Structure formats: structure tokens, C-alpha cells
């Protein structure tokens, strides 16, 4: 669709079929370069995500050894209390 609009715009602007074809070929080349660059970017980004996942996996194995923060149980109780109070507030609003 981009190439069709490019050829029509170039033809109506210059009234020359040769100029329209050359412009369309240049546009096609630019589209292919942009596609190639975006594929390279996605490959690079997936490598970064993979390395970050490996680091997270490493830190997850440290967690398995029992290196949790000391106030983990306290935070769990606080979140359960908060959830319970929210449920109570919702039940009071319902008829």
C-alpha cells in the first residue's frame, strides 16, 4: 500500500513515469532497510531479555537457599489483613 501511494504521488507530482518508478524503487529499498533494522533490534532485545532471565534464575536459586528478608511473614500478614478489610468494605456497600 505504501508503494502504491508512493508511485501515485510521484507520478502526479512530476508527471513522469520514469521519476515515479525511480522514487518507488528508492522507497522500496528504504522499507527493506527499515525491516532489516527492526529484525536486528528484536534479535538484540531478545538477547538482553534472555540474559536478564538467566540473572533472575540465578537469584531465584539464592532464594531457594532460604535468604528471604526477615520481615517476609509480617508483610504477608499485612497484605492478608488489607485484603480482608477491603472485602468487608465491599460487602458493606452491597445491598
Amino acid at each position: 500500500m505504501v508503494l502504491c501511494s508512493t508511485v501515485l504521488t510521484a507520478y502526479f507530482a512530476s508527471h513522469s513515469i520514469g521519476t515515479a518508478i525511480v522514487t518507488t524503487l528508492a522507497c522500496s529499498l528504504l522499507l527493506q532497510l527499515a525491516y532489516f533494522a527492526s529484525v536486528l533490534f528484536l534479535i538484540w532485545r531478545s538477547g538482553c531479555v534472555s540474559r536478564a532471565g538467566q540473572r533472575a534464575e540465578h537469584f531465584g536459586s539464592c532464594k531457594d537457599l532460604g535468604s528471604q528478608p526477615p520481615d517476609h511473614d509480617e508483610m504477608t500478614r499485612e497484605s492478608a489483613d488489607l485484603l480482608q478489610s477491603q472485602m468487608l468494605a465491599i460487602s458493606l456497600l452491597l445491598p
Side-chain angles (χ1 to χ4, degrees):
M1 185 165 12
V2 172
L3 294 178
C4 289
S5 64
T6 302
V7 74
L8 289 174
T9 304
Y11 178 72
F12 287 125
S14 67
H15 297 293
S16 170
I17 293 178
T19 303
I21 290 173
V22 169
T23 305
T24 305
L25 289 175
C27 182
S28 173
L29 180 64
L30 286 175
L31 285 172
Q32 288 178 359
L33 287 174
Y35 177 75
F36 183 70
S38 65
V39 169
L40 287 179
F41 174 73
L42 290 174
I43 291 170
W44 173 76
R45 193 175 73 172
S46 70
C48 291
V49 169
S50 174
R51 286 190 300 271
Q54 289 173 351
R55 284 190 294 243
E57 185 178 297
H58 171 71
F59 289 125
S61 65
C62 294
K63 187 177 178 183
D64 292 340
L65 296 176
S67 60
Q68 292 181 349
D71 59 339
H72 181 264
D73 292 333
E74 180 181 326
M75 292 189 65
T76 304
R77 280 192 300 270
E78 287 178 7
S79 63
D81 291 340
L82 179 64
L83 179 63
Q84 191 175 25
S85 65
Q86 287 176 347
M87 290 177 64
L88 177 64
I90 291 172
S91 67
L92 291 175
L93 291 175
L94 294 176

